[in-house]
mmCIF file of all heavy atoms in Angstrom:
data_model
loop_
_atom_site.group_PDB
_atom_site.id
_atom_site.type_symbol
_atom_site.label_atom_id
_atom_site.label_comp_id
_atom_site.label_asym_id
_atom_site.label_seq_id
_atom_site.Cartn_x
_atom_site.Cartn_y
_atom_site.Cartn_z
ATOM 1 N N LYS A 243 -25.274 -8.686 -14.091
ATOM 2 C CA LYS A 243 -25.761 -7.924 -15.346
ATOM 3 C C LYS A 243 -25.322 -6.449 -15.308
ATOM 4 O O LYS A 243 -24.905 -5.818 -16.300
ATOM 5 C CB LYS A 243 -27.282 -8.034 -15.388
ATOM 6 C CG LYS A 243 -27.783 -7.518 -16.691
ATOM 7 C CD LYS A 243 -29.295 -7.693 -16.854
ATOM 8 C CE LYS A 243 -29.825 -6.915 -18.047
ATOM 9 N NZ LYS A 243 -29.473 -5.489 -18.222
ATOM 10 N N ALA A 246 -21.857 -6.172 -16.549
ATOM 11 C CA ALA A 246 -21.940 -6.403 -17.971
ATOM 12 C C ALA A 246 -22.379 -5.073 -18.690
ATOM 13 O O ALA A 246 -21.689 -4.610 -19.590
ATOM 14 C CB ALA A 246 -22.727 -7.520 -18.387
ATOM 15 N N ASP A 247 -23.367 -4.440 -18.149
ATOM 16 C CA ASP A 247 -23.932 -3.175 -18.768
ATOM 17 C C ASP A 247 -22.924 -2.099 -18.631
ATOM 18 O O ASP A 247 -22.913 -1.230 -19.504
ATOM 19 C CB ASP A 247 -25.250 -2.831 -18.104
ATOM 20 C CG ASP A 247 -26.316 -3.839 -18.430
ATOM 21 O OD1 ASP A 247 -26.247 -4.534 -19.480
ATOM 22 O OD2 ASP A 247 -27.397 -3.798 -17.798
ATOM 23 N N THR A 248 -22.230 -1.972 -17.573
ATOM 24 C CA THR A 248 -21.350 -0.909 -17.377
ATOM 25 C C THR A 248 -19.956 -0.959 -18.184
ATOM 26 O O THR A 248 -19.332 0.022 -18.230
ATOM 27 C CB THR A 248 -21.020 -0.775 -15.769
ATOM 28 O OG1 THR A 248 -22.131 -1.235 -15.138
ATOM 29 C CG2 THR A 248 -20.698 0.674 -15.456
ATOM 30 N N THR A 249 -19.742 -2.094 -18.742
ATOM 31 C CA THR A 249 -18.515 -2.219 -19.564
ATOM 32 C C THR A 249 -18.367 -1.124 -20.587
ATOM 33 O O THR A 249 -17.307 -0.553 -20.891
ATOM 34 C CB THR A 249 -18.285 -3.618 -20.230
ATOM 35 O OG1 THR A 249 -19.468 -3.889 -20.995
ATOM 36 C CG2 THR A 249 -18.077 -4.684 -19.202
ATOM 37 N N SER A 250 -19.587 -0.780 -21.217
ATOM 38 C CA SER A 250 -19.558 0.157 -22.323
ATOM 39 C C SER A 250 -19.068 1.605 -21.840
ATOM 40 O O SER A 250 -18.497 2.389 -22.513
ATOM 41 C CB SER A 250 -20.896 0.239 -22.970
ATOM 42 O OG SER A 250 -21.838 0.595 -22.056
ATOM 43 N N TYR A 253 -15.213 1.005 -21.687
ATOM 44 C CA TYR A 253 -14.492 0.508 -22.786
ATOM 45 C C TYR A 253 -14.886 1.087 -24.121
ATOM 46 O O TYR A 253 -14.360 0.848 -25.217
ATOM 47 C CB TYR A 253 -14.690 -1.049 -22.904
ATOM 48 C CG TYR A 253 -13.555 -1.688 -23.710
ATOM 49 C CD1 TYR A 253 -12.202 -1.765 -23.184
ATOM 50 C CD2 TYR A 253 -13.850 -2.290 -24.932
ATOM 51 C CE1 TYR A 253 -11.173 -2.356 -23.881
ATOM 52 C CE2 TYR A 253 -12.851 -2.917 -25.737
ATOM 53 C CZ TYR A 253 -11.491 -2.931 -25.146
ATOM 54 O OH TYR A 253 -10.491 -3.555 -25.881
ATOM 55 N N GLY A 254 -15.866 2.030 -24.040
ATOM 56 C CA GLY A 254 -16.386 2.663 -25.322
ATOM 57 C C GLY A 254 -17.506 1.779 -25.939
ATOM 58 O O GLY A 254 -18.409 2.282 -26.541
ATOM 59 N N HIS A 255 -17.477 0.465 -25.848
ATOM 60 C CA HIS A 255 -18.569 -0.301 -26.335
ATOM 61 C C HIS A 255 -18.625 -1.517 -25.384
ATOM 62 O O HIS A 255 -17.676 -1.846 -24.601
ATOM 63 C CB HIS A 255 -18.391 -0.815 -27.700
ATOM 64 C CG HIS A 255 -17.191 -1.613 -27.985
ATOM 65 N ND1 HIS A 255 -17.022 -2.988 -27.827
ATOM 66 C CD2 HIS A 255 -15.946 -1.209 -28.342
ATOM 67 C CE1 HIS A 255 -15.865 -3.303 -28.068
ATOM 68 N NE2 HIS A 255 -15.122 -2.335 -28.493
ATOM 69 N N LYS A 256 -19.879 -2.258 -25.438
ATOM 70 C CA LYS A 256 -20.119 -3.283 -24.523
ATOM 71 C C LYS A 256 -19.173 -4.562 -24.854
ATOM 72 O O LYS A 256 -18.911 -4.828 -26.067
ATOM 73 C CB LYS A 256 -21.400 -3.808 -24.582
ATOM 74 C CG LYS A 256 -22.140 -4.255 -23.287
ATOM 75 C CD LYS A 256 -23.534 -4.444 -23.365
ATOM 76 C CE LYS A 256 -23.910 -5.321 -22.222
ATOM 77 N NZ LYS A 256 -25.288 -5.678 -22.206
ATOM 78 N N VAL A 257 -18.545 -5.221 -23.882
ATOM 79 C CA VAL A 257 -17.766 -6.346 -24.027
ATOM 80 C C VAL A 257 -18.433 -7.487 -23.366
ATOM 81 O O VAL A 257 -19.122 -7.260 -22.321
ATOM 82 C CB VAL A 257 -16.260 -6.243 -23.627
ATOM 83 C CG1 VAL A 257 -15.544 -5.194 -24.590
ATOM 84 C CG2 VAL A 257 -16.124 -5.898 -22.165
ATOM 85 N N SER A 258 -18.119 -8.649 -23.793
ATOM 86 C CA SER A 258 -18.821 -9.861 -23.093
ATOM 87 C C SER A 258 -17.909 -10.399 -21.914
ATOM 88 O O SER A 258 -16.669 -10.773 -22.151
ATOM 89 C CB SER A 258 -19.104 -10.861 -24.152
ATOM 90 O OG SER A 258 -18.820 -12.194 -23.790
#
Side-chain angles (χ1 to χ4, degrees):
K243 187 177 174 307
D247 290 342
T248 328
T249 55
S250 55
Y253 201 68
H255 60 85
K256 214 169 160 183
V257 294
S258 137

